[in-house]
Amino acid sequence: MNFTRWSARLPGTQRRAAARAGTGLSPDGAAQDRRADGSVPAARAEPPGGRHHPGAPAVGDLAVHEVLDRVPALVALVHGADHRVAYVNAAYAAAFGDRTPGEPAREELPELAETGLLPLLDQVLRSARPRTLKSRTASDGRCYTFTCTPVAVEGERHGGVLIFAADVTDHAEAAERLRASERRQRETAVTLQRSLLPQELEQPDDLRIAATYHPGGTEAAVGGDWYDVITLGGGRTALVIGDVMGRGVRAAAVMGQLRTAVRAYARLDLPPHEVLQLLDGLASEIDANQIATCVYAVHDPNEGRLVYASAGHLPILVRDASGEVVRTEEPTGPPLGAGGWVHGSASVPLAPGSTAVLYTDGLVERRDKDLDEGITALERALAGAGGSPQVICDRLMRSAGVTADHDDDVAVLVLQHPERVGAEADLFRNAELELLGGAEAAPHARAFTSGVLASWRFPADLCDLGVLAASELVANSLQHGIPPMRLRLRRTDRRLIVEVTDADDHLPRRRRAEPGDESGRGIAIVATISSSWGCRRTPGGGKAVWCEFALPTPPSPSGPGRP
């Protein structure tokens, strides 16, 4: 193959006729002064002023193959439909060895076949347009970017392809190091995120709860989504879910601080809106430029309702026993960290047989859909999802199309208030007594407590402790509280709860009574004999003081004495 027969249409260059030598270009662009041997004269170039530097060869004095042999990049030229080798430059020969002209590239240039370049050569011939194949590793272990440019040949039907391979090994290695660094950062963020989330959810007596967290699949998609379940005592449970804006370790760290603060504020047993008010101030102190959305809710089995407050978060979805799904709408304030807002609380029924779902925006938000459409789709999925809370979590994730490469992290918290029947229902009982009159209310309360606990078949020592606790709490309320007053006894499968409410909002505290004091020992006695105790203000004014007793664990069927 005579290389000089080819029209040298190299990328970014043009052929010039030797105009200054008295030659011109024909209308079709071909040089008019072809040499006698049919070769193409080299393009000439002169510096400004039309003079060359003394001793420097003019470009026109060099043949094209001499120029290409001096190029450090790999260059090869193939021609025809079967891509026969016409030429390889010195750099190509140094990398892969000499090649025999006239042989098909599939056999003579196996390194190109290994990189998948041969189909690209066909595309270049068909389209007569350049094509590029980026960052492919060849058999010599180096990484190349291949640019294939069509070359027209006079008298040839198919023409040829000029292959220009630039060594980008250093760039590829740098890019891989960057990707590895990003992967390590993401793994660090995911590890931090998961370590800050609850390792094991608390399981209250009256609710069944499951949660799931799915980190985003992209390199920087790990965010600040979190959830938590906090038992408040007295049968009440706090549930929280939130989303810190941003990505990476910083968002996860802010999330950890907020979650820790929520648990601390929850121990104060404050209404949901007051908890969010405290969190709002804390979020501003942590980072004035960082905001977060959050929903804080409290379930009280005695009321059968979920009391909640929202700071810019998505609405809670509640499905009742009939399958109807309700979306909570109000009240919703600005995100945490915005400041200057007084949050409010609202409530939604959560009767036996109901299921509630708390979630973050990664579950319902899509770039090509309106957010409200995603929530509506989630409502439909919840209406048709049955089974345990974990099963519902998994079904909601699948219905929302959350996969390993999902572009945002997702947190979902599902709680059920199960319907109990038969023997299981006997383990969950309530009894109430209105405390009327004066001093005679105390013996009446003791007699009521003794009768109820006996009917619940508690051991004698537990009955005695329950009666003593009720007596002390009632006496404390009669002395320091104001009517109306109520004594409430509640049992679950794991504990006995004694609670007294009155209309005075002054919370009692445990204090050390001096030997000469005639009062001040009631709360101390209750704290000593019970598993735990506490007090809180009730909605509408007043307070509730409670204590709990752990029930003895029933013997296992496989325990001693069992076959």
Side-chain angles (χ1 to χ4, degrees):
M1 180 66 183
N2 185 3
F3 176 71
T4 57
R5 293 180 57 244
W6 296 72
S7 174
R9 295 183 181 178
L10 301 180
T13 66
Q14 295 181 349
R15 292 187 51 81
R16 292 198 181 111
R20 295 184 179 87
T23 61
L25 291 177
S26 62
D28 60 356
Q32 297 176 354
D33 61 337
R34 293 188 178 277
R35 298 175 183 175
D37 59 358
S39 63
V40 180
R44 295 182 181 271
E46 295 183 359
R51 291 181 295 180
H52 297 286
H53 190 279
V59 175
D61 297 334
L62 299 175
V64 174
H65 63 83
E66 294 179 358
V67 176
L68 294 180
D69 278 339
R70 299 181 186 182
V71 174
L74 279 59
V75 179
L77 184 66
V78 297
H79 70 95
D82 51 356
H83 310 303
R84 295 184 178 276
V85 179
Y87 164 80
V88 295
N89 72 342
Y92 195 104
F96 299 107
D98 292 329
R99 296 293 184 262
T100 304
E103 296 296 326
R106 185 175 299 278
E107 301 173 2
E108 193 64 18
L109 304 176
E111 59 276 358
L112 299 185
E114 292 172 0
T115 58
L117 195 66
L118 296 184
L120 192 67
L121 299 180
D122 295 331
Q123 296 179 21
V124 171
L125 284 181
R126 287 194 303 267
S127 65
R129 298 179 62 183
R131 294 286 189 272
T132 299
L133 192 65
K134 294 184 177 180
S135 191
R136 292 298 178 93
T137 303
S139 57
D140 64 345
R142 308 291 291 177
C143 193
Y144 299 93
T145 290
F146 296 91
T147 300
C148 302
T149 304
V151 178
V153 182
E154 295 181 5
E156 294 283 347
R157 175 185 175 187
H158 295 287
V161 179
L162 182 70
I163 304 169
F164 187 90
D167 190 338
V168 294
T169 304
D170 292 342
H171 295 81
E173 291 176 350
E176 179 57 34
R177 288 194 296 270
L178 179 60
R179 287 192 293 268
S181 176
E182 290 175 346
R183 285 194 296 268
R184 287 193 297 270
Q185 291 181 10
R186 181 177 185 276
E187 290 171 0
T188 300
V190 171
T191 302
L192 176 61
Q193 175 83 334
R194 291 193 181 278
S195 66
L196 293 174
L197 290 174
Q199 303 304 303
E200 184 176 353
L201 285 180
E202 297 182 24
Q203 294 293 332
D205 300 354
D206 295 274
L207 299 176
R208 296 173 183 168
I209 301 177
T212 185
Y213 171 73
H214 180 87
T218 58
E219 294 297 332
V222 178
D225 292 16
W226 95 92
Y227 57 82
D228 208 349
V229 178
I230 309 164
T231 54
L232 302 178
R236 302 166 74 250
T237 306
L239 308 113
V240 59
I241 194 165
D243 184 2
V244 177
M245 301 298 107
R247 295 287 183 268
V249 175
R250 177 59 182 169
V254 173
M255 176 274 291
Q257 296 178 75
L258 291 178
R259 177 176 174 258
T260 301
V262 168
R263 295 192 70 88
Y265 295 149
R267 299 304 177 191
L268 300 176
D269 215 341
L270 299 173
H273 65 276
E274 293 188 20
V275 172
L276 291 189
Q277 207 71 40
L278 294 172
L279 282 177
D280 182 46
L282 179 64
S284 300
E285 295 176 5
I286 293 175
D287 189 342
N289 298 319
Q290 189 80 58
I291 63 173
T293 64
C294 179
V295 166
Y296 182 86
V298 175
H299 175 254
D300 189 337
N302 296 315
E303 304 295 335
R305 303 187 69 83
L306 194 66
V307 182
Y308 66 92
S310 174
H313 203 78
L314 299 173
I316 302 173
L317 301 183
V318 179
R319 185 188 67 191
D320 60 21
S322 66
E324 181 181 356
V325 178
V326 176
R327 180 193 308 187
T328 62
E329 295 291 349
E330 295 294 341
T332 300
L336 302 176
W341 185 267
V342 178
H343 294 273
S345 295
S347 66
V348 62
L350 192 70
S354 299
T355 300
V357 178
L358 292 77
Y359 53 95
T360 57
D361 59 357
L363 186 66
V364 295
E365 189 173 27
R366 300 294 181 270
R367 294 179 180 178
D368 57 345
K369 293 184 179 179
D370 183 74
L371 179 60
D372 191 66
E373 294 179 14
I375 299 177
T376 302
L378 184 63
E379 290 178 344
R380 291 195 297 267
L382 177 59
S388 67
Q390 188 59 58
V391 170
I392 294 177
C393 270
D394 297 339
R395 290 184 178 179
L396 295 181
M397 296 283 279
R398 287 196 300 270
S399 68
V402 178
T403 58
D405 58 350
H406 193 62
D407 61 357
D408 194 6
D409 48 348
V410 179
V412 182
L413 182 65
V414 176
L415 58 139
Q416 286 182 340
H417 188 182
E419 289 183 302
R420 296 181 172 90
V421 294
E424 186 182 17
D426 292 337
L427 300 178
F428 292 81
R429 297 286 191 89
N430 288 281
E432 293 186 3
L433 174 67
E434 291 286 342
L435 300 176
L436 303 175
E440 66 274 11
H444 190 192
R446 287 192 292 270
F448 172 79
T449 303
S450 178
V452 169
L453 298 186
S455 68
W456 288 349
R457 300 180 181 180
F458 285 155
D461 56 344
L462 182 58
C463 289
D464 293 341
L465 293 176
V467 170
L468 177 58
S471 177
E472 293 296 337
L473 292 181
V474 168
N476 184 78
S477 181
L478 291 173
Q479 183 174 358
H480 302 288
I482 57 176
M485 304 176 185
R486 178 182 291 107
L487 168 65
R488 175 182 290 147
L489 304 177
R490 176 173 172 78
R491 72 154 296 170
T492 69
D493 57 343
R494 287 181 278 180
R495 73 196 77 238
L496 166 66
I497 302 169
V498 180
E499 182 179 82
V500 175
T501 61
D502 62 63
D504 182 74
D505 59 2
H506 177 73
L507 299 180
R509 59 185 179 88
R510 183 178 179 180
R511 64 185 180 89
R512 186 172 184 176
E514 298 297 331
D517 292 343
E518 296 183 357
S519 63
R521 296 180 176 83
I523 296 298
I525 293 174
V526 170
T528 301
I529 65 175
S530 64
S531 304
S532 62
W533 79 281
C535 57
R536 69 179 187 279
R537 290 187 174 89
T538 55
K543 66 177 180 293
V545 186
W546 55 268
C547 66
E548 295 181 350
F549 297 89
L551 299 184
T553 303
S556 172
S558 59
R562 296 279 182 176

